[in-house]
Amino acid sequence: MPPPPDRDEIARWVRERDPRRRSGLWEVADGVRQAQVGDEVHLRGLIEISNHCVRHCAYCGINAGHRALARYRLDPATVVVLAQDAREADCGTVVLQAGEDPWWTGERVADLIRRLKVEVGVAVTLSLGERPVEDLARWREAGADRYLLRFETGNQDLYRRVHPPQRDWGRDRRDQLADLRRLGYEVGSGFLVGLPGSTWDDLVDDILLCRELDLDMVGIGPYLPHPMTPLGRTVAPADPEQVPAADVPTTLTSMALLRLLLPTVNLPATTALGILDPVEGLEAGLRAGANIVMPDFTPDTERRLYSIYPGKEGAGPAGAERVASIRRRLIAIGRTVGTGAGTAPVWHRRREGAA
Ligand code: SF4
């Protein structure tokens, strides 16, 4: 296996513009992916259970300040049916995603997790934003397996500007990631590539921070400006000498570097990548180190309203139709649909080490 790149090498790679050299790096990462986690691609059925959010993140299309956006919540019975659909379409995991929505109380979410475990029999990933540690503990006890919470950028000044803290909260996402680890979750996080205000050095730091956090899953995607957000409305085109490009090659190179730094991590080819390149984005991600895909099972009407970035609402079919298309595309590049929950090998090893 190639040695993990050091900081200087990462800094050179992210700015590399020679297509041949870049492709060479992606191929090396693909080889590491194959050797470490195999050819299986695990499907996570995404269910966006609510687009209500109390937060004002400057980059996000469902932030509380976007008052023109119609809001929805799926009821728990509907979520169970959607999860069954996902299970039947070979998704060993469902991902419950929402804005920070107080309607989804600790107890309501715990009840839903229990139903998914008993009635559907799937691994459950939660992506419900920043929540009190009591809720996280209760959900873990109810059977939740994983939690996704992106740190978005490790640059703390920038983070506070784009992600205004909640009053009286006193915790940030990094604190919550530590709590999730302590509670025994598989922990997923990640960042935005090309977030306005970030620098090339920040991108290098963000890649290295994923290793420092010893993540089980890393989800990264290019920043896509949403016209109904403070950042999307106000930020002028960035100077590419200063700000990392929010483009496909920079995202693929970042993914490849993450695969080299964290060889057994679960690494999705994200929807945002597929929006920048609808024809080849999925395949390109899977050839640059990715081993996870997250087909969306949210019903069409609600999916259109979960517009965290532009283009997501129209990102192809949903549900079983989407899975059939993904399956064809996987087979065409020599990959297979994974069976089982697709737990990150690194998480098992950590558990064994702790025993
Ligand atoms: S990023 Fe998450 S917490 Fe922030 S506004 Fe969007 S949904 Fe809410």
Side-chain angles (χ1 to χ4, degrees), residues 198-213:
S198 66
T199 64
W200 288 100
D201 267 355
D202 289 332
L203 176 58
V204 176
D205 288 342
D206 289 345
I207 291 169
L208 287 168
L209 180 55
C210 291
R211 180 172 65 177
E212 189 185 319
L213 293 169

Side-chain angles (χ1 to χ4, degrees), residues 243-293:
V243 178
D247 61 9
V248 172
T250 309
T251 305
L252 295 177
T253 294
S254 302
M255 290 168 63
L257 291 165
L258 285 161
R259 175 58 72 197
L260 299 182
L261 288 172
L262 292 160
T264 61
V265 78
N266 276 334
L267 188 66
T270 55
T271 309
L273 187 60
I275 286 171
L276 278 190
D277 181 354
V279 179
E280 283 277 324
L282 174 73
E283 289 81 354
L286 291 170
R287 286 179 168 136
N291 68 324
I292 300 285
V293 179

Side-chain angles (χ1 to χ4, degrees), residues 78-210:
T78 302
V79 177
V80 171
V81 171
L82 294 169
Q84 275 155 347
D85 293 346
R87 184 81 197 89
E88 278 162 26
D90 287 339
C91 297
T93 298
V94 293
V95 181
L96 305 182
Q97 191 163 69
E100 288 181 25
D101 178 3
W103 186 89
W104 279 104
T105 59
E107 195 45 43
R108 281 195 177 112
V109 175
D111 282 345
L112 179 56
I113 294 165
R114 282 189 283 267
R115 286 190 65 181
L116 293 171
K117 287 288 169 181
V118 172
E119 296 174 38
V120 188
V122 275
V124 175
T125 299
L126 302 174
S127 178
L128 303 176
E130 293 169 54
R131 302 289 299 226
V133 68
E134 296 76 25
D135 286 353
L136 305 177
R138 179 191 290 214
W139 299 338
R140 180 76 183 130
E141 210 170 293
D145 300 274
R146 312 188 182 111
Y147 205 105
L148 305 182
L149 186 73
R150 284 194 189 183
F151 59 79
E152 305 295 9
T153 170
N155 174 332
Q156 289 302 290
D157 282 346
L158 177 59
Y159 177 77
R160 277 189 288 273
R161 267 185 280 138
V162 300
H163 188 89
Q166 299 214 77
R167 245 176 335 130
D168 305 330
W169 186 237
R171 280 156 49 84
D172 69 12
R173 290 188 171 200
R174 301 271 288 275
D175 297 321
Q176 179 160 326
L177 290 172
D179 288 334
L180 292 165
R181 172 73 73 223
R182 188 174 47 75
L183 290 165
Y185 282 89
E186 265 184 82
V187 179
S189 190
F191 56 88
L192 281 164
V193 177
L195 182 64
S198 66
T199 64
W200 288 100
D201 267 355
D202 289 332
L203 176 58
V204 176
D205 288 342
D206 289 345
I207 291 169
L208 287 168
L209 180 55
C210 291

